[in-house]
PDB file of all heavy atoms in Angstrom:
ATOM      1  N   GLY A  12       4.366   1.810   6.594  1.00 95.00           N
ATOM      2  CA  GLY A  12       5.097   2.623   7.530  1.00 95.00           C
ATOM      3  C   GLY A  12       6.645   2.370   7.424  1.00 95.00           C
ATOM      4  O   GLY A  12       7.463   2.800   8.152  1.00 95.00           O
ATOM      5  N   ASP A  16       7.971   2.960   1.465  1.00 96.00           N
ATOM      6  CA  ASP A  16       6.652   3.593   1.108  1.00 96.00           C
ATOM      7  C   ASP A  16       7.005   4.786   0.405  1.00 96.00           C
ATOM      8  O   ASP A  16       6.330   5.305  -0.566  1.00 96.00           O
ATOM      9  CB  ASP A  16       5.921   4.025   2.374  1.00 96.00           C
ATOM     10  CG  ASP A  16       5.367   2.904   3.098  1.00 96.00           C
ATOM     11  OD1 ASP A  16       5.316   1.686   2.659  1.00 96.00           O
ATOM     12  OD2 ASP A  16       4.931   3.112   4.310  1.00 96.00           O
ATOM     13  N   ALA A  27       1.085   8.884 -12.422  1.00 95.00           N
ATOM     14  CA  ALA A  27      -0.089   9.587 -12.314  1.00 95.00           C
ATOM     15  C   ALA A  27      -0.194  10.904 -13.001  1.00 95.00           C
ATOM     16  O   ALA A  27      -1.251  11.428 -13.436  1.00 95.00           O
ATOM     17  CB  ALA A  27      -0.714   9.642 -10.978  1.00 95.00           C
ATOM     18  N   VAL A  42      -6.118  -6.957  12.246  1.00 95.00           N
ATOM     19  CA  VAL A  42      -6.805  -7.174  13.560  1.00 95.00           C
ATOM     20  C   VAL A  42      -6.806  -8.683  13.886  1.00 95.00           C
ATOM     21  O   VAL A  42      -7.316  -9.486  13.086  1.00 95.00           O
ATOM     22  CB  VAL A  42      -8.146  -6.601  13.523  1.00 95.00           C
ATOM     23  CG1 VAL A  42      -8.798  -6.791  14.987  1.00 95.00           C
ATOM     24  CG2 VAL A  42      -8.129  -5.020  13.141  1.00 95.00           C
ATOM     25  N   SER A  45      -8.879 -12.691  17.779  1.00 93.00           N
ATOM     26  CA  SER A  45      -9.387 -12.666  19.166  1.00 93.00           C
ATOM     27  C   SER A  45      -9.992 -11.346  19.437  1.00 93.00           C
ATOM     28  O   SER A  45     -10.630 -11.182  20.548  1.00 93.00           O
ATOM     29  CB  SER A  45      -8.222 -12.939  20.158  1.00 93.00           C
ATOM     30  OG  SER A  45      -7.232 -11.966  20.012  1.00 93.00           O
ATOM     31  N   LEU A  46      -9.884 -10.371  18.658  1.00 93.00           N
ATOM     32  CA  LEU A  46     -10.487  -8.981  18.819  1.00 93.00           C
ATOM     33  C   LEU A  46     -11.543  -8.727  17.861  1.00 93.00           C
ATOM     34  O   LEU A  46     -11.576  -9.219  16.785  1.00 93.00           O
ATOM     35  CB  LEU A  46      -9.386  -7.946  18.657  1.00 93.00           C
ATOM     36  CG  LEU A  46      -8.133  -7.935  19.590  1.00 93.00           C
ATOM     37  CD1 LEU A  46      -7.137  -6.944  19.157  1.00 93.00           C
ATOM     38  CD2 LEU A  46      -8.543  -7.546  21.050  1.00 93.00           C
ATOM     39  N   SER A  54      -1.926   1.888  19.323  1.00 94.00           N
ATOM     40  CA  SER A  54      -0.585   2.019  18.840  1.00 94.00           C
ATOM     41  C   SER A  54      -0.521   1.783  17.270  1.00 94.00           C
ATOM     42  O   SER A  54       0.130   2.370  16.613  1.00 94.00           O
ATOM     43  CB  SER A  54       0.269   0.941  19.512  1.00 94.00           C
ATOM     44  OG  SER A  54      -0.254  -0.359  19.273  1.00 94.00           O
ATOM     45  N   ALA A  57      -1.967   4.985  15.619  1.00 97.00           N
ATOM     46  CA  ALA A  57      -0.913   5.951  15.552  1.00 97.00           C
ATOM     47  C   ALA A  57       0.120   5.751  14.370  1.00 97.00           C
ATOM     48  O   ALA A  57       0.589   6.568  13.584  1.00 97.00           O
ATOM     49  CB  ALA A  57      -0.292   6.106  16.858  1.00 97.00           C
ATOM     50  N   LYS A  61       0.699   7.984  11.070  1.00 98.00           N
ATOM     51  CA  LYS A  61       1.997   8.552  10.822  1.00 98.00           C
ATOM     52  C   LYS A  61       2.483   8.183   9.324  1.00 98.00           C
ATOM     53  O   LYS A  61       2.949   9.005   8.528  1.00 98.00           O
ATOM     54  CB  LYS A  61       3.002   8.026  11.715  1.00 98.00           C
ATOM     55  CG  LYS A  61       4.420   8.561  11.573  1.00 98.00           C
ATOM     56  CD  LYS A  61       5.337   7.971  12.674  1.00 98.00           C
ATOM     57  CE  LYS A  61       6.691   8.384  12.417  1.00 98.00           C
ATOM     58  NZ  LYS A  61       7.696   7.874  13.387  1.00 98.00           N
ATOM     59  N   ALA A  66       2.901   9.801   3.693  1.00 97.00           N
ATOM     60  CA  ALA A  66       2.671   9.625   2.146  1.00 97.00           C
ATOM     61  C   ALA A  66       2.000  10.892   1.500  1.00 97.00           C
ATOM     62  O   ALA A  66       2.400  11.313   0.434  1.00 97.00           O
ATOM     63  CB  ALA A  66       1.609   8.477   1.948  1.00 97.00           C
ATOM     64  N   GLN A  83      -9.160  -1.589   8.579  1.00 97.00           N
ATOM     65  CA  GLN A  83      -8.941  -2.583   9.517  1.00 97.00           C
ATOM     66  C   GLN A  83      -9.407  -3.875   8.942  1.00 97.00           C
ATOM     67  O   GLN A  83     -10.550  -3.988   8.538  1.00 97.00           O
ATOM     68  CB  GLN A  83      -9.535  -2.341  10.808  1.00 97.00           C
ATOM     69  CG  GLN A  83      -8.873  -1.110  11.603  1.00 97.00           C
ATOM     70  CD  GLN A  83      -9.180  -1.015  13.191  1.00 97.00           C
ATOM     71  OE1 GLN A  83      -8.694  -0.064  13.722  1.00 97.00           O
ATOM     72  NE2 GLN A  83     -10.006  -1.845  13.692  1.00 97.00           N
ATOM     73  N   LEU A 102      -3.953  -0.282 -11.186  1.00 98.00           N
ATOM     74  CA  LEU A 102      -2.626  -0.575 -10.750  1.00 98.00           C
ATOM     75  C   LEU A 102      -2.570  -0.609  -9.246  1.00 98.00           C
ATOM     76  O   LEU A 102      -3.107   0.325  -8.634  1.00 98.00           O
ATOM     77  CB  LEU A 102      -1.589   0.388 -11.267  1.00 98.00           C
ATOM     78  CG  LEU A 102      -0.137   0.146 -10.847  1.00 98.00           C
ATOM     79  CD1 LEU A 102       0.518  -1.004 -11.353  1.00 98.00           C
ATOM     80  CD2 LEU A 102       0.695   1.363 -11.114  1.00 98.00           C
ATOM     81  N   LYS A 111      15.521 -10.698   4.387  1.00 78.00           N
ATOM     82  CA  LYS A 111      15.800 -12.072   4.182  1.00 78.00           C
ATOM     83  C   LYS A 111      15.171 -12.866   5.286  1.00 78.00           C
ATOM     84  O   LYS A 111      15.095 -12.416   6.389  1.00 78.00           O
ATOM     85  CB  LYS A 111      17.319 -12.332   4.154  1.00 78.00           C
ATOM     86  CG  LYS A 111      18.068 -11.880   2.844  1.00 78.00           C
ATOM     87  CD  LYS A 111      19.497 -12.274   2.892  1.00 78.00           C
ATOM     88  CE  LYS A 111      20.109 -11.895   1.554  1.00 78.00           C
ATOM     89  NZ  LYS A 111      21.465 -12.517   1.388  1.00 78.00           N
ATOM     90  N   PHE A 116      16.011 -14.136   0.187  1.00 84.00           N
ATOM     91  CA  PHE A 116      15.041 -12.940   0.038  1.00 84.00           C
ATOM     92  C   PHE A 116      13.640 -13.491   0.177  1.00 84.00           C
ATOM     93  O   PHE A 116      13.220 -14.491  -0.321  1.00 84.00           O
ATOM     94  CB  PHE A 116      15.311 -12.461  -1.331  1.00 84.00           C
ATOM     95  CG  PHE A 116      14.388 -11.244  -1.701  1.00 84.00           C
ATOM     96  CD1 PHE A 116      14.544 -10.067  -1.076  1.00 84.00           C
ATOM     97  CD2 PHE A 116      13.386 -11.425  -2.676  1.00 84.00           C
ATOM     98  CE1 PHE A 116      13.612  -8.976  -1.200  1.00 84.00           C
ATOM     99  CE2 PHE A 116      12.553 -10.477  -2.853  1.00 84.00           C
ATOM    100  CZ  PHE A 116      12.625  -9.143  -2.191  1.00 84.00           C
ATOM    101  N   PRO A 130      -6.958  -8.004  -9.280  1.00 96.00           N
ATOM    102  CA  PRO A 130      -7.743  -7.915 -10.552  1.00 96.00           C
ATOM    103  C   PRO A 130      -7.157  -6.960 -11.575  1.00 96.00           C
ATOM    104  O   PRO A 130      -7.702  -6.792 -12.644  1.00 96.00           O
ATOM    105  CB  PRO A 130      -9.085  -7.236 -10.001  1.00 96.00           C
ATOM    106  CG  PRO A 130      -8.727  -6.374  -8.911  1.00 96.00           C
ATOM    107  CD  PRO A 130      -7.488  -7.048  -8.249  1.00 96.00           C
ATOM    108  N   LEU A 135       5.821  -3.852  -7.950  1.00 97.00           N
ATOM    109  CA  LEU A 135       6.497  -3.763  -6.673  1.00 97.00           C
ATOM    110  C   LEU A 135       7.659  -2.788  -6.889  1.00 97.00           C
ATOM    111  O   LEU A 135       8.388  -2.820  -7.823  1.00 97.00           O
ATOM    112  CB  LEU A 135       7.036  -5.125  -6.272  1.00 97.00           C
ATOM    113  CG  LEU A 135       6.043  -6.169  -6.150  1.00 97.00           C
ATOM    114  CD1 LEU A 135       6.706  -7.577  -5.827  1.00 97.00           C
ATOM    115  CD2 LEU A 135       5.029  -5.931  -5.134  1.00 97.00           C
ATOM    116  N   GLU A 138      13.159  -1.408  -2.451  1.00 89.00           N
ATOM    117  CA  GLU A 138      14.245  -0.493  -2.144  1.00 89.00           C
ATOM    118  C   GLU A 138      15.565  -1.134  -2.207  1.00 89.00           C
ATOM    119  O   GLU A 138      15.582  -2.438  -2.248  1.00 89.00           O
ATOM    120  CB  GLU A 138      14.112   0.245  -0.730  1.00 89.00           C
ATOM    121  CG  GLU A 138      14.126  -0.785   0.397  1.00 89.00           C
ATOM    122  CD  GLU A 138      13.955  -0.094   1.756  1.00 89.00           C
ATOM    123  OE1 GLU A 138      13.676   1.110   1.859  1.00 89.00           O
ATOM    124  OE2 GLU A 138      14.019  -0.782   2.806  1.00 89.00           O
TER     125      GLU A 138
END
Side-chain angles (χ1 to χ4, degrees):
D16 293 349
V42 181
S45 60
L46 297 172
S54 61
K61 183 178 177 182
Q83 291 196 179
L102 174 69
K111 288 186 174 186
F116 176 69
L135 303 179
E138 64 182 3

